[in-house]
């Protein structure tokens, strides 16, 4: 007698259909969504960046990296392919022809040393070979996400490579430059352009109003910073990526891009010097941009992070100090490590109106893995929006710092140019004369009470 088939209730039918629909939707995700998920996981910081840090900071990116390493693939029961009836020989041959199973998802599976995507064009392969020949990021994949100053691991990475922020190891133990007090005295030198007759209380109120209206970093740099910096005949550039400089560490951090920097005109240096030291003193691939930068500004809007600003200043200062050090070593290697600072970096936060100034100077390293270390030291700090006198002191210090940095560049460039043989030059050896000025903390000439911008202003009154 045949068994009677029990009908399935309606609510169970709906439940089964929902489960089947859910499984189908989850297993067959849309292509666009799948590509988006793949892109999110493919751009990640390489393992070596995290493994080489001497100290791990508890950040979101560090936690994501920990989760990535701790995730195990879901164990699934493999299908039984033991019977020959279930094998499709055509599909099996096609599968083997394309390389067989992908083992890259297996834990601890070694990645190939060099992997070229199959859809990569010949031109892109040629570009990769060129990068390998020139030594520029040859071992860094274009799909690698580099660390930036917005990650605390960025500062730890710099520390591991001998670039020390101010206060590292304790403020009392900071290695200060020998000429720190001389620089501080120079920064305090009065300027006629900030005298009560020229910079009035009305001008100060105009500055504070513009500072309050500047809600972004761009507005701070375009509306507020020009008032602080004044007018000066100094070659400068804003927001230019330093893509031409040799990597300061291992290449797993982004290229520096200061909000503002001062430098010298490339034509001021002899071509042979520019060619020999281009990866240290020519920051941009645009060779008309200022070279030998040794004065930097990093600014933030009211909602900007001051810690990020300081990390950016640390990075900029180390690059600038390295360039100056390389050029001084070119002139006279024996006196290159004189424990003096020739680079100044400044930070300005629009929310608090705080201007902070630092020096960065190189010292020989005691570590066998690196030759030079760079130390950041605080020079002065001012709250420019406090009172009129505070603004005068801070703006005076920054304008004097720009003049001082320009003088140091000119002294070092003169010494370097004098060392290069010149068939048209006759007379005394200029390299000896120039380097006397270079090694001394005292300027070769007596400075006037006014700078270039003050003389320009004075001619109008």
């Amino acid at each position: 007698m045949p068994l009677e088939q029990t009908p399935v209730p309606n609510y169970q039918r709906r439940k089964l259909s929902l489960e089947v629909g859910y499984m189908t939707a989850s297993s067959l995700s849309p292509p666009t969504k799948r590509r988006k998920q793949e892109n999110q996981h493919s751009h990640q910081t390489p393992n070596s960046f995290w493994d080489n840090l001497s100290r791990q900071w508890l950040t979101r990116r560090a936690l994501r990296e920990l989760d990535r390493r701790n995730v195990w693939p879901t164990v699934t029961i493999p299908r039984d392919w033991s019977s020959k009836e279930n094998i499709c020989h055509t599909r099996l041959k096609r599968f083997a022809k394309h390389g067989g199973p992908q083992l890259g998802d297996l834990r601890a599976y070694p990645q190939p040393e060099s992997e070229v995507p199959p859809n990569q064009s010949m031109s892109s392969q040629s570009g990769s070979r060129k990068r390998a020949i020139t030594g520029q990021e040859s071992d860094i994949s274009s799909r690698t996400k580099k660390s930036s100053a917005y990650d605390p691991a960025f500062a730890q990475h710099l520390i591991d490579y001998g670039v020390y922020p101010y206060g590292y190891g304790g403020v009392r133990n900071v290695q200060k430059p020998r000429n720190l007090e001389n620089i501080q005295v120079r920064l305090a030198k009065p300027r006629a352009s900030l005298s009560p007759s020229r910079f009035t209380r009305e001008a100060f109120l105009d500055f504070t109003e513009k500072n309050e209206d500047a809600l972004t970093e761009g507005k701070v740099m375009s509306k507020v910073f020009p008032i602080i910096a004044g007018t000066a005949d100094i070659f400068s550039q804003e927001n230019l990526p330093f893509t031409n400089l040799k990597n300061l560490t291992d290449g797993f951090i982004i290229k520096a891009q200061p909000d503002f920097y001062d430098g010298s005109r490339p034509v001021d240096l002899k071509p042979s010097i520019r060619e020999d030291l281009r990866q240290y003193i020519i920051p941009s691939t645009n060779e008309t941009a200022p070279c030998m930068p040794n004065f930097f500004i990093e600014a933030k809007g009211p909602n900007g992070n001051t810690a990020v600003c300081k990390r950016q200043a640390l990075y900029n200062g180390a690059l600038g100090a390295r360039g100056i050090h390389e050029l001084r070593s070119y002139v006279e290697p024996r006196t290159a490590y004189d424990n003096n600072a020739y680079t100044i970096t400044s930070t300005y936060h629009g929310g608090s109106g705080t201007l902070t100034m630092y020096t960065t100077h190189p010292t020989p390293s005691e570590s066998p893995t690196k030759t030079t270390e760079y130390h950041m030291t605080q020079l002065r700090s001012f709250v420019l929006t406090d009172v009129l006198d505070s603004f005068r002191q801070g703006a005076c210090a920054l304008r004097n710092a720009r003049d001082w940095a320009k003088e140091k560049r000119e002294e070092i460039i003169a010494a370097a140019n004098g060392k290069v043989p010149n068939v048209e030059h006759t007379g005394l050896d200029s390299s000896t004369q120039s380097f006397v000025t270079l090694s001394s903390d005292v300027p070769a000439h007596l400075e006037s009470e006014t700078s270039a911008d003050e003389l320009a202003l004075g001619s109008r009154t």
Side-chain angles (χ1 to χ4, degrees):
M1 180 177 179
L3 296 177
E4 183 179 355
Q5 188 175 7
T6 305
V8 180
N10 292 333
Y11 71 92
Q12 290 189 6
R13 292 178 182 174
R14 289 193 299 269
K15 182 178 179 180
L16 290 173
S17 63
L18 288 174
E19 291 178 354
V20 172
Y22 173 76
M23 293 173 62
T24 304
S26 60
S27 59
L28 301 175
S29 55
T32 55
K33 182 177 181 181
R34 186 160 58 248
R35 285 197 300 267
K36 182 178 180 181
Q37 292 173 351
E38 291 174 355
N39 291 335
Q40 289 176 350
H41 294 288
S42 61
H43 294 271
Q44 60 186 19
T45 305
N47 294 345
S48 58
F49 175 81
W50 300 102
D51 296 339
N52 294 333
L53 288 178
S54 60
R55 179 181 178 184
Q56 294 288 351
W57 291 82
L58 187 61
T59 62
R60 293 182 183 272
R61 291 181 64 238
L63 292 175
R64 284 197 297 269
E65 176 66 15
L66 180 63
D67 291 341
R68 187 188 67 84
R69 297 190 180 193
N70 290 338
V71 168
W72 286 82
T74 305
V75 179
T76 58
I77 300 176
R79 185 176 177 181
D80 184 12
W81 295 99
S82 58
S83 78
K84 295 182 179 180
E85 291 78 7
N86 295 328
I87 298 177
C88 178
H89 294 279
T90 305
R91 294 179 59 189
L92 182 60
K93 290 180 180 179
R94 187 185 301 114
F95 181 65
K97 182 180 180 181
H98 288 83
Q102 175 59 257
L103 304 180
D105 293 333
L106 294 180
R107 189 177 183 86
Y109 177 77
Q111 295 293 332
E113 295 183 0
S114 61
E115 181 178 352
V116 180
N119 60 347
Q120 186 175 10
S121 62
M122 293 299 294
S123 60
S124 60
Q125 294 181 24
S126 175
S128 301
R129 288 194 296 269
K130 290 179 181 179
R131 286 192 297 270
I133 294 172
T134 58
Q136 295 179 357
E137 304 181 7
S138 59
D139 58 341
I140 302 172
S141 171
S142 60
R143 299 174 68 86
T144 298
K145 183 177 181 181
K146 298 183 180 181
S147 178
S148 70
Y150 289 86
D151 188 349
F154 179 87
Q156 186 62 50
H157 182 76
L158 291 179
I159 292 172
D160 293 341
Y161 279 85
V163 181
Y164 302 110
Y166 175 67
Y168 178 76
V171 176
R172 293 183 177 87
N173 299 323
V174 170
Q175 295 194 31
K176 299 179 180 180
R178 187 178 64 179
N179 59 344
L180 179 65
E181 293 184 0
N182 293 338
I183 298 175
Q184 291 173 336
V185 170
R186 175 63 188 277
L187 298 188
K189 183 180 178 181
R191 299 181 70 97
S193 59
L194 293 168
S195 63
S197 60
R198 294 190 180 181
F199 193 84
T200 63
R201 180 169 295 276
E202 187 65 26
F204 173 69
L205 294 177
D206 180 65
F207 163 77
T208 56
E209 184 176 354
K210 289 183 178 180
N211 188 78
E212 289 296 322
D213 293 340
L215 302 181
T216 63
E217 179 179 319
K219 283 295 184 182
V220 171
M221 289 303 301
S222 63
K223 300 296 183 182
V224 180
F225 175 69
I227 301 177
I228 305 173
T231 56
D233 185 19
I234 300 177
F235 198 37
S236 61
Q237 190 57 255
E238 298 180 15
N239 206 33
L240 186 69
F242 284 5
T243 55
N244 196 56
L245 295 181
K246 181 180 179 181
N247 291 323
L248 187 63
T249 61
D250 57 3
F252 287 133
I253 56 177
I254 63 173
K255 297 292 186 180
Q257 187 171 345
D259 290 333
F260 179 93
Y261 79 94
D262 287 339
S264 298
R265 297 184 184 276
V267 295
D268 294 342
L269 269 171
K270 291 187 176 181
S272 60
I273 303 176
R274 297 200 306 266
E275 185 63 28
D276 292 342
L277 301 178
R278 62 182 302 106
Q279 60 180 345
Y280 299 104
I281 63 175
I282 308 294
S284 174
T285 54
N286 185 345
E287 298 190 2
T288 62
C291 68
M292 272 188 64
N294 69 334
F295 178 85
F296 303 89
I297 283 285
E298 286 291 344
K300 294 296 177 188
N303 297 323
N305 191 320
T306 55
V308 172
C309 200
K310 185 177 178 181
R311 292 180 205 130
Q312 292 171 331
L314 171 66
Y315 191 20
N316 298 340
L319 291 172
R322 184 185 67 173
I324 297 293
H325 175 70
E326 291 293 332
L327 188 56
R328 296 188 72 252
S329 299
Y330 183 89
V331 176
E332 181 53 68
R334 292 174 299 178
T335 58
Y337 290 108
D338 62 352
N339 203 31
N340 285 329
Y342 299 92
T343 302
I344 292 180
T345 60
S346 302
T347 63
Y348 181 76
H349 193 273
S352 61
T354 303
L355 173 70
T356 309
M357 308 178 69
Y358 305 91
T359 62
T360 306
H361 74 286
T363 60
S365 176
E366 299 178 356
S367 172
T369 60
K370 47 184 176 287
T371 58
T372 306
E373 297 178 346
Y374 300 92
H375 305 269
M376 186 185 201
T377 306
Q378 182 170 317
L379 269 173
R380 292 293 306 272
S381 183
F382 309 90
V383 181
L384 303 188
T385 55
D386 183 20
V387 293
L388 178 56
D389 287 341
S390 296
F391 176 87
R392 286 198 180 110
Q393 294 175 11
C396 176
L398 186 132
R399 298 180 188 186
N400 286 334
R402 295 187 67 192
D403 287 347
W404 176 87
K406 180 182 179 182
E407 293 168 6
K408 295 304 175 184
R409 288 194 305 272
E410 292 175 346
E411 293 173 4
I412 300 171
I413 289 175
N417 287 338
K419 188 177 179 64
V420 177
N422 190 345
V423 295
E424 297 179 358
H425 178 73
T426 57
L428 297 176
D429 184 6
S430 60
S431 63
T432 305
Q433 295 177 341
S434 300
F435 198 71
V436 171
T437 304
L438 175 64
S439 304
S440 176
D441 292 333
V442 181
H445 59 278
L446 294 177
E447 301 172 352
S448 63
E449 293 297 325
T450 58
S451 63
D453 61 327
E454 295 160 4
L455 292 173
L457 290 172
S459 63
R460 301 171 188 167
T461 57

